[in-house]
Amino acid sequence: RRRRSVTVEHERAAAAAAVPGPLDKGCSLRRSLRLPASAAAEGMKRPLGRRYGLWFRLRKLLLWLLGMYIAIPFLVKLCPAIQAKLVFLNFVRVPYFIDLKRPQDQGLNHTCNYYLQPEEDVTVGVWHTVPAALWKNARGKDQLWFEEALGSSHPVILYLHGNAGTRGGDHRVELYKVLSSLGYHVVTFDYRGWGDSIGSPSERGMTYDALHVFDWIKARSGDNPVYIWGHSLGTGVATNLVRRLCERETPPDALILESPFTNIREEARSHPFSVASTQYFPGFDWFFLDPITTSGIKFANDENVKYISCSLLILHAEDDPVVPFHLGKKLYNIAATSRSFRDYKVQFVPFHTDLGYRHKYIYRSPELPRILREFLGKSEHEHHH
């Protein structure tokens, strides 16, 4: 009996241990409960699932980038117009929300806005800023007065701007003010397809627009010197124009190139966006540079200077991030050894990196008035003799 009672007590104790105890007054279990094996496995699966989902999304992103990396070059190759748009950037209109009909809103109170028509269905917007000495007389005057003012005894600069933006761009306006203060008429315009000018952009069209505006100036300026100033992409338009003027024996009195390149193909290859691609992308020239040529875009400054016969001044900042300094220096070396310049002055003026003039701030140089006075003074002497 004793053995049987001990056995029964053992069984009761074992049964009591197997069943969870009742809750105490503090509503807590007397013993800790063990999770079932299936719940523990499910808890381990959750972080694994999250890691798998993250890897899936990362792999999807990498595949998408790879697809774009492969598709974009073929898209550019099949549609050369895309590359032409990237060269011109005429659809980038900065600063936004300015009225190009009102140059006085940009601080140009002695400027008149014109519209000229180089060809049928093409209209270009023009700004004419008179020398600062004529500022008081220019107040409230109409277009006819400004046109007649071109015949006054002041030289004229035809300014050809670069890609993107309009004739109302901030750095361009600041240059007009500097040149006006030095006693120059400044005539500038937006090529067809830029700003409020009507037409589709092309190298031929841009050059023809410049030729039309130059002839318009010459018809009103009499014997006053006319200089051509091109900046960045505008240097390509400028050398196209001057080569054509020299071929018809009506050259300008001088050509000024600010931040020039040798040709558009070499500039595109040297652009910061292209440098990495040329190293890591096979067939870069075939995919990206050949379509530029296919679109008829060359802007061959290095070829044009061999046919130009007038004084040439090149200005370039050493820290230019858009058109590398070495391209401007290379263009100068080509021009300086060209037979077409043997009777004319060819000058290269670098601006040190420490000055921080980069691609479009050479107008800030306190040396610029002296540089222009010395260079263009010589050109005016050649013009009168």
Side-chain angles (χ1 to χ4, degrees):
R1 286 177 183 174
R2 288 176 186 168
R3 288 176 181 171
R4 189 176 296 171
S5 63
V6 169
T7 304
V8 170
E9 289 295 328
H10 256 298
E11 290 174 353
R12 287 176 180 174
V19 178
L23 294 174
D24 60 13
K25 292 180 180 179
C27 294
S28 61
L29 285 174
R30 290 175 181 169
R31 287 179 172 74
S32 61
L33 300 177
R34 293 183 181 178
L35 289 172
S38 60
E42 185 179 348
M44 292 176 64
K45 284 180 182 178
R46 284 176 185 170
L48 289 173
R50 282 196 294 268
R51 286 197 292 269
Y52 177 77
L54 180 62
W55 165 244
F56 177 78
R57 287 193 293 270
L58 181 61
R59 187 175 63 177
K60 189 175 180 180
L61 176 62
L62 291 173
L63 288 174
W64 183 83
L65 290 173
L66 179 62
M68 294 295 290
Y69 184 77
I70 295 171
I72 287 176
F74 282 99
L75 185 64
V76 171
K77 183 67 178 178
L78 294 173
C79 303
I82 295 175
Q83 196 70 326
K85 284 283 187 183
L86 294 177
V87 171
F88 297 138
L89 289 179
N90 60 300
F91 56 90
V92 179
R93 179 172 173 169
V94 288
Y96 296 97
F97 311 119
I98 69 168
D99 186 354
L100 292 172
K101 296 182 178 66
R102 293 178 52 83
Q104 59 268 29
D105 292 348
Q106 310 308 308
L108 296 171
N109 294 318
H110 49 312
T111 299
C112 186
N113 180 67
Y114 308 143
Y115 290 98
L116 303 180
Q117 191 170 10
E119 295 180 306
E120 189 177 357
D121 300 326
V122 174
T123 303
V124 296
V126 182
W127 279 0
H128 172 200
T129 302
V130 297
L134 301 178
W135 181 82
K136 290 183 179 179
N137 294 334
R139 296 176 64 181
K141 296 298 193 299
D142 59 9
Q143 178 175 334
L144 180 61
W145 182 91
F146 275 84
E147 289 188 31
E148 291 176 348
L150 285 169
S152 63
S153 57
H154 295 274
V156 184
I157 292 179
L158 171 59
Y159 179 78
L160 306 171
H161 67 66
N163 67 352
T166 68
R167 61 191 184 275
D170 294 339
H171 66 283
R172 294 163 186 164
V173 168
E174 293 305 315
L175 179 62
Y176 311 154
K177 292 177 181 178
V178 170
L179 297 177
S180 173
S181 70
L182 296 177
Y184 299 102
H185 289 276
V186 183
V187 178
T188 186
F189 68 97
D190 281 318
Y191 316 105
R192 60 186 71 185
W194 271 261
D196 58 352
S197 296
I198 298 170
S200 299
S202 67
E203 180 175 355
R204 185 208 69 83
M206 295 164 72
T207 303
Y208 191 82
D209 294 344
L211 177 64
H212 181 81
V213 176
F214 177 85
D215 287 341
W216 180 87
I217 293 170
K218 289 296 291 183
R220 291 157 178 78
S221 61
D223 291 332
N224 294 328
V226 178
Y227 311 120
I228 293 173
W229 184 312
H231 173 244
S232 192
L233 188 68
T235 64
V237 182
T239 62
N240 281 349
L241 169 62
V242 177
R243 176 177 176 175
R244 199 162 168 180
L245 293 175
C246 291
E247 288 173 348
R248 75 177 195 185
E249 299 183 353
T250 57
D253 294 281
L255 171 63
I256 302 168
L257 301 178
E258 179 188 357
S259 305
F261 48 84
T262 47
N263 57 71
I264 196 63
R265 191 181 180 96
E266 196 163 1
E267 155 58 13
R269 189 185 291 113
S270 303
H271 196 278
F273 292 129
S274 304
V275 170
S277 300
T278 55
Q279 295 176 352
Y280 302 109
F281 195 97
F284 177 84
D285 285 17
W286 188 78
F287 278 111
F288 292 100
L289 301 184
D290 289 352
I292 297 178
T293 308
T294 302
S295 299
I297 303 172
K298 297 179 180 178
F299 291 114
N301 289 336
D302 49 355
E303 282 299 313
N304 288 338
V305 294
K306 298 175 183 177
Y307 300 92
I308 290 175
S309 300
C310 69
S311 297
L312 172 64
L313 172 64
I314 296 178
L315 310 171
H316 213 135
E318 293 178 355
D319 59 338
D320 191 328
V322 178
V323 180
F325 178 78
H326 73 267
L327 291 185
K329 187 67 174 178
K330 183 177 179 180
L331 181 64
Y332 165 74
N333 291 332
I334 294 171
T337 56
S338 174
R339 289 185 298 174
S340 64
F341 284 104
R342 62 177 176 263
D343 297 325
Y344 298 94
K345 184 177 182 180
V346 180
Q347 184 178 349
F348 182 84
V349 179
F351 294 87
H352 196 271
T353 301
D354 294 343
L355 298 170
Y357 295 153
R358 297 172 66 80
H359 183 60
K360 55 187 182 183
Y361 301 114
I362 288 177
Y363 73 84
R364 295 176 178 172
S365 172
E367 296 296 312
L368 186 60
R370 177 190 60 79
I371 293 168
L372 295 178
R373 185 169 57 251
E374 292 178 358
F375 179 80
L376 296 180
K378 184 177 187 303
S379 299
E380 289 178 24
H381 178 77
E382 292 171 351
H383 170 80
H384 290 299
H385 288 78

